[in-house]
Amino acid sequence: MWRAAVCCLLLLENFLRSAQGLNLCTSGRATSCEDCLMIHPSCAWCAQEDFGRSTSLTSRCDLSLNLQKRGCEARFIEFPTSSASILQNTPLSSKGSGSAQYDVVQIMPQKISLNLRPGDQTWFSLQVRQVEDYPVDLYYLMDLSLSMKDDLVTILNLGTKLAHEMGKLTSNFRLGFGSFVDKNMSPFSYTAPKYQENPCNDFGFRHILPLTDKVDRFNEEVQKQVVSRNRDAPEGGFDAILQAAVCQEKIGWRKGAYHLLVFTTDDVPHLALDGRLGGLVQPHDGQCHLDERNEYSASTKMDYPSLALLGEKLAENNIFLIFAVTKRFYVIYKNFTALIPGTTVEILDQDSKNVIQLIVNAYSVSKSPGSLELTVSDHPEDINLSFTATCQDGTPLPGLRRCADLKIGDTVSFNVSVEARSCPSHGADQTFTIKPVGFKDRLEVAVHHKCDCSCSSTAQINSSTCSSIGTHTCGICHCEPGHLGARCECQEGDSSSVQLGDCREAEGKQLCSGRGECSCNQCVCYESEFGKIYGSFCECDDFSCTRHKGVLCSGHGECDCGECKCHAGFIGDNCNCSTETSSCISDDGNMCSGRGNCVCGHCQCTEPGAFGDTCEKCPTCPDACGTKRECIECRLFNSGRLADNQTCQRLCKDKIVTVENLDALSPLLSECGGAPDAFMVLLVVVGSILLIGIVLLAIWKLVITIHDHQEFARFQSARSRARYEMVRMLYLHCDVILIHGGSRLFFLGFKSDSEAESHLRTTTSPSLTSLV
């Protein structure tokens, strides 16, 4: 169905190109079959020898349908298309564990082959299913720095408990163990002799127990471990992760199992370039470096690995990494998961009490919602891939390569669109793989580029068709150096080819104007779907003239050698200017109402304020009565400037009605209003001036009154404060005060200043009428 849809789109595209005159094939001027195929995926090449023998040079590169219409037999048409073929398509498995566990299939198909023509898309589909009861290998990688001492005690019996819980998820479970601290060198660790004795003997990574189904061995090995310590806070955990991933044989990873790597720590890791602090400038090589004691031997020789290298090696070995870290560093490791595909992070208790539940949860998450995501390895740079996911609800999701909300046993499908942008320079075939993150299963894709024409395989060297001095391939001759012509019939330097300049219009210009071939001193012009190319030097054509609104010569002329030859009634470079003036005559018979000029059949108003199709509207122009006064004078009274009979009849065509009373025709006289009453105008102007003056005087009076009231209030307040201060001074500085109030005298005496102050506060002294 996908292929049928693509084919329909291509046919529709070809039809539209042909119908709209946008054929890229013929305009590309391909000189060989291979050049033609590179122009556009819709282009085809005719290898028929006698195709298009005429006075013009027929293009062999065209749409397939056009070539057949022009006489090319279908068997001679080179038109390769992109395609996909399945090489291995083993059905998906329904269960993982059992006698045939190593034949478990979780992706279908397993191998396909693509034939890609540049620019031509093809599709293929793949299905992925997470099978039930899949074998699981779990490697427990633990930080044994001093801060993890209580965690080591917690996991002494981890093997038995973990095997019991994982047994609920799979019947085939194996467990391994390794530990790490940091590089045993300054400044990462203490290097003095006294610190090298146990329990402070630092090490980068130590592989302790290979993957095994004997969980008691795990418990025994854990009980033998002792913690160590390093100098700085960050640990060398990334060194350990890389070695656990790449040392497959020593760790014991099974090819037919789900690989889990549990990384437990309570601090941040050292990253690439940190090793330079200790003088380690050599980048990590991504290889296994475990010695006979199963310890990381290159710890003090190479830098820490980068995040990119970790992600590459984990994906390469199908390992799902679980960061089990304390809450304090959760955010940091969460950011790492965005940079390393196939990883997750869980919060570890300070003493690792929740490690079993943490592992079970992480495994369940990795095998269910949100975990099924496709990755591409060895993706060629010149190939475009586009994914469309179809998850459980059956809805296609363009641009997505992952599915969520899945359960064990669910099957999802992906459609993959593939397109080659170009042909590889080296011409070799390419391969890449598509696989779900954390799965061992993968789809291997082999790519074969279809950049050559099949007719090239039958090329004839020194063919008689090419005068025995050229190679005849795909219907045309490729002449040997020094020879020219469609059949290599001319030779440079002989008497006939000396006149090669006869194919140039002028010295320095291209042969045949670059639009034809010089065949023995005569130009043979190319054919073009846009029109005809002609002339002694192919210098002329009938399609390169100027256009108006996309129409050649505005549709009112013919294109002749790059110049528009206009039809009668039209002028201009593109024949878009009409010489007809009837559309410019206004209702009064004047050209553009006498207020403009007629240009290309349209009025261009020159009178300020005039507008309209014939400049008939002009609010600022003289009124109608004024413009028609001269016609009234000449028609009724035979006087005025237009008194000449012929002039009056030609210019004054309005109907004139004579009446005794204007009231009956008042609706028709809207253009000629009566003169205004001068007395009324004067009265209105004078009255307006008086009214404005009165209003201004009233406003001024109101403002002055408000200002005076405010000033008087301030004066009264100041006066009261002054009288109060005077009384206060008398109270405080006089032994006896004589006060006259009306017709009576009052004598006041105070024993002390405090008594006077008290009396002053309880007496309204400022209200007394007089003081002595």
Side-chain angles (χ1 to χ4, degrees):
M1 292 179 65
W2 285 104
R3 293 179 185 174
V6 172
C7 291
C8 290
L9 288 175
L10 285 176
L11 290 174
L12 178 60
E13 181 181 22
N14 295 343
F15 173 78
L16 293 177
R17 281 195 177 87
S18 178
Q20 297 176 358
L22 298 176
N23 192 337
L24 298 177
C25 306
T26 56
S27 61
R29 304 301 173 218
T31 58
S32 68
C33 181
E34 285 73 18
D35 290 344
C36 178
L37 299 186
M38 292 298 296
I39 293 175
H40 193 271
S42 63
C43 296
W45 177 270
C46 179
Q48 187 173 319
E49 183 178 345
D50 59 350
F51 175 72
R53 289 183 175 175
S54 61
T55 56
S56 62
L57 188 63
T58 302
S59 176
R60 292 179 176 270
C61 186
D62 202 342
L63 301 175
S64 179
L65 185 61
N66 291 350
L67 291 175
Q68 294 184 56
K69 288 181 178 179
R70 287 160 50 197
C72 185
E73 297 181 27
R75 61 193 178 99
F76 291 109
I77 294 178
E78 295 283 341
F79 184 55
T81 57
S82 297
S83 61
S85 57
I86 298 176
L87 303 181
Q88 183 179 345
N89 195 29
T90 306
L92 296 173
S93 302
S94 59
K95 191 171 182 178
S97 297
S99 59
Q101 59 181 284
Y102 291 104
D103 297 326
V104 172
V105 177
Q106 298 186 103
I107 188 170
M108 181 180 72
Q110 294 80 40
K111 292 183 180 180
I112 64 172
S113 175
L114 301 178
N115 294 312
L116 298 182
R117 176 181 174 177
D120 188 22
Q121 284 189 352
T122 188
W123 294 78
F124 65 87
S125 297
L126 63 96
Q127 292 182 319
V128 182
R129 176 188 296 166
Q130 295 177 323
V131 301
E132 300 177 3
D133 198 20
Y134 199 74
V136 177
D137 287 347
L138 188 150
Y139 192 79
Y140 194 88
L141 188 57
M142 183 176 182
D143 177 5
L144 281 187
S145 59
L146 191 59
S147 57
M148 295 286 287
K149 184 176 181 179
D150 54 344
D151 301 77
L152 182 60
V153 175
T154 302
I155 68 167
L156 290 178
N157 296 313
L158 175 66
T160 304
K161 298 177 182 178
L162 187 56
H164 174 73
E165 293 296 328
M166 292 298 294
K168 301 176 182 178
L169 304 175
T170 177
S171 61
N172 195 330
F173 175 70
R174 297 201 312 169
L175 188 62
F177 181 69
S179 62
F180 67 91
V181 182
D182 207 345
K183 295 183 181 296
N184 191 15
M185 60 183 300
S186 181
F188 312 113
S189 300
Y190 295 97
T191 57
K194 64 178 180 178
Y195 293 115
Q196 296 300 306
E197 299 177 359
N198 193 29
C200 296
N201 53 335
D202 287 351
F203 54 91
F205 165 65
R206 181 180 295 153
H207 170 49
I208 299 171
L209 177 67
L211 291 164
T212 178
D213 55 1
K214 297 178 176 56
V215 295
D216 292 338
R217 287 279 313 281
F218 182 90
N219 298 337
E220 293 172 3
E221 294 298 333
V222 171
Q223 292 173 7
K224 296 177 184 178
Q225 304 307 309
V226 292
V227 295
S228 182
R229 67 176 177 182
N230 55 330
R231 193 170 190 173
D232 59 354
E235 318 290 3
F238 280 8
D239 269 342
I241 292 176
L242 188 78
Q243 292 303 298
V246 299
C247 298
Q248 291 204 31
E249 292 186 5
K250 292 201 171 186
I251 301 297
W253 297 114
R254 292 177 292 177
K255 291 184 179 180
Y258 189 74
H259 301 160
L260 283 177
L261 177 58
V262 181
F263 176 85
T264 61
T265 185
D266 63 350
D267 219 315
V268 296
H270 276 297
L271 303 176
L273 302 181
D274 284 358
R276 297 192 176 189
L277 297 173
L280 302 179
V281 296
Q282 180 181 351
H284 205 291
D285 60 5
Q287 302 300 316
C288 177
H289 294 282
L290 291 184
D291 58 18
E292 63 279 358
R293 297 180 301 172
N294 285 333
E295 292 189 359
Y296 178 38
S297 60
S299 178
T300 58
K301 300 176 182 178
M302 292 188 296
D303 194 7
Y304 298 96
S306 64
L307 291 173
L309 182 60
L310 274 182
E312 176 187 340
K313 294 303 177 181
L314 288 170
E316 183 180 306
N317 295 284
N318 308 313
I319 296 175
F320 190 87
L321 175 63
I322 301 173
F323 288 124
V325 300
T326 53
K327 186 176 182 180
R328 177 184 173 190
F329 301 105
Y330 176 82
V331 175
I332 295 177
Y333 283 89
K334 184 67 175 177
N335 294 334
F336 288 157
T337 63
L339 302 174
I340 307 176
T343 60
T344 187
V345 60
E346 299 288 341
I347 297 178
L348 182 70
D349 289 346
Q350 290 293 337
D351 56 0
S352 298
K353 286 183 178 180
N354 67 330
V355 68
I356 295 178
Q357 190 59 42
L358 177 152
I359 293 173
V360 172
N361 292 342
Y363 173 77
S364 300
V365 169
S366 69
K367 299 294 291 181
S368 54
S371 63
L372 204 162
E373 179 178 3
L374 299 182
T375 61
V376 181
S377 303
D378 303 322
H379 186 181
E381 294 183 357
D382 57 350
I383 292 181
N384 289 335
L385 295 178
S386 177
F387 290 82
T388 298
T390 304
C391 302
Q392 286 302 103
D393 59 359
T395 303
L397 303 172
L400 292 183
R401 59 172 73 180
R402 67 180 301 168
C403 283
D405 300 324
L406 301 179
K407 300 185 296 295
I408 300 297
D410 286 345
T411 303
V412 296
S413 62
F414 298 88
N415 283 315
V416 186
S417 168
V418 189
E419 178 185 351
R421 295 192 298 271
S422 61
C423 291
S425 56
H426 47 78
D429 293 336
Q430 299 170 312
T431 59
F432 63 91
T433 59
I434 300 176
K435 63 185 292 295
V437 176
F439 283 49
K440 72 174 182 66
D441 306 76
R442 65 188 64 202
L443 169 62
E444 298 178 1
V445 183
V447 180
H448 308 282
H449 292 272
K450 304 191 73 171
C451 299
D452 298 323
C453 297
S454 60
C455 57
S456 298
S457 61
T458 60
Q460 299 177 6
I461 301 175
N462 297 326
S463 171
S464 59
T465 307
C466 304
S467 305
S468 299
I469 48 176
T471 300
H472 186 258
T473 176
C474 297
I476 60 174
C477 287
H478 294 282
C479 303
E480 296 293 337
H483 295 271
L484 307 169
R487 296 291 178 261
C488 306
E489 65 270 27
C490 299
Q491 185 175 3
E492 293 181 359
D494 62 16
S495 58
S496 61
S497 62
V498 169
Q499 305 300 323
L500 197 61
D502 292 344
C503 292
R504 287 190 174 92
E505 187 175 8
E507 186 65 28
K509 289 196 173 183
Q510 288 182 305
L511 286 174
C512 301
S513 305
R515 306 200 293 181
E517 289 186 359
C518 184
S519 180
C520 297
N521 306 319
Q522 185 179 3
C523 285
V524 181
C525 302
Y526 293 131
E527 281 188 348
S528 173
E529 64 169 334
F530 299 111
K532 181 181 178 181
I533 300 175
Y534 58 95
S536 301
F537 309 102
C538 303
E539 74 278 12
C540 294
D541 62 58
D542 60 359
F543 54 83
S544 295
C545 295
T546 56
R547 299 171 182 264
H548 178 65
K549 295 183 178 179
V551 181
L552 189 67
C553 297
S554 305
H556 303 303
E558 304 295 335
C559 182
D560 182 20
C561 202
E563 182 180 352
C564 285
K565 303 296 183 182
C566 300
H567 298 157
F570 292 90
I571 58 174
D573 293 339
N574 52 16
C575 303
N576 69 323
C577 184
S578 173
T579 58
E580 179 64 40
T581 60
S582 59
S583 58
C584 295
I585 304 299
S586 59
D587 293 340
D588 60 3
N590 292 326
M591 185 71 69
C592 299
S593 304
R595 298 167 181 158
N597 302 317
C598 187
V599 179
C600 297
H602 300 282
C603 284
Q604 292 185 353
C605 303
T606 57
E607 183 79 18
F611 63 96
D613 292 339
T614 57
C615 306
E616 73 278 7
K617 301 176 182 178
C618 186
T620 60
C621 296
D623 57 39
C625 290
T627 59
K628 297 176 181 178
R629 184 183 302 278
E630 294 180 342
C631 288
I632 298 296
E633 291 176 346
C634 77
R635 291 278 299 276
L636 294 183
F637 306 106
N638 197 24
S639 62
R641 186 175 64 86
L642 305 178
D644 180 71
N645 190 43
Q646 293 182 351
T647 304
C648 187
Q649 290 181 357
R650 180 171 58 86
L651 297 179
C652 301
K653 298 180 180 180
D654 291 331
K655 182 179 179 180
I656 300 177
V657 180
T658 303
V659 296
E660 296 294 334
N661 186 1
L662 292 178
D663 292 339
L665 297 177
S666 58
L668 304 176
L669 303 177
S670 59
E671 293 189 74
C672 301
D677 190 340
F679 177 76
M680 289 299 298
V681 172
L682 179 63
L683 185 62
V684 170
V685 172
V686 173
S688 299
I689 295 174
L690 289 176
L691 179 62
I692 293 173
I694 293 172
V695 171
L696 292 175
L697 285 174
I699 294 173
W700 177 81
K701 179 62 176 176
L702 179 62
V703 171
I704 293 300
T705 301
I706 293 174
H707 179 267
D708 289 347
H709 277 285
Q710 292 175 343
E711 289 296 322
F712 180 75
R714 282 195 290 270
F715 171 75
Q716 287 287 82
S717 177
R719 180 179 178 185
S720 298
R721 284 197 301 271
R723 179 182 300 172
Y724 178 81
E725 288 297 325
M726 182 181 295
V727 173
R728 181 174 180 276
M729 293 298 296
L730 290 174
Y731 269 64
L732 295 177
H733 298 286
C734 298
D735 294 332
V736 177
I737 299 176
L738 177 64
I739 301 176
H740 177 261
S743 59
R744 302 174 63 184
L745 290 176
F746 298 90
F747 294 91
L748 298 177
F750 304 102
K751 297 179 180 180
S752 63
D753 290 345
S754 60
E755 184 179 355
E757 281 284 356
S758 176
H759 188 272
L760 182 63
R761 285 194 300 268
T762 58
T763 306
T764 56
S765 299
S767 63
L768 297 178
T769 57
S770 61
L771 301 174
V772 179

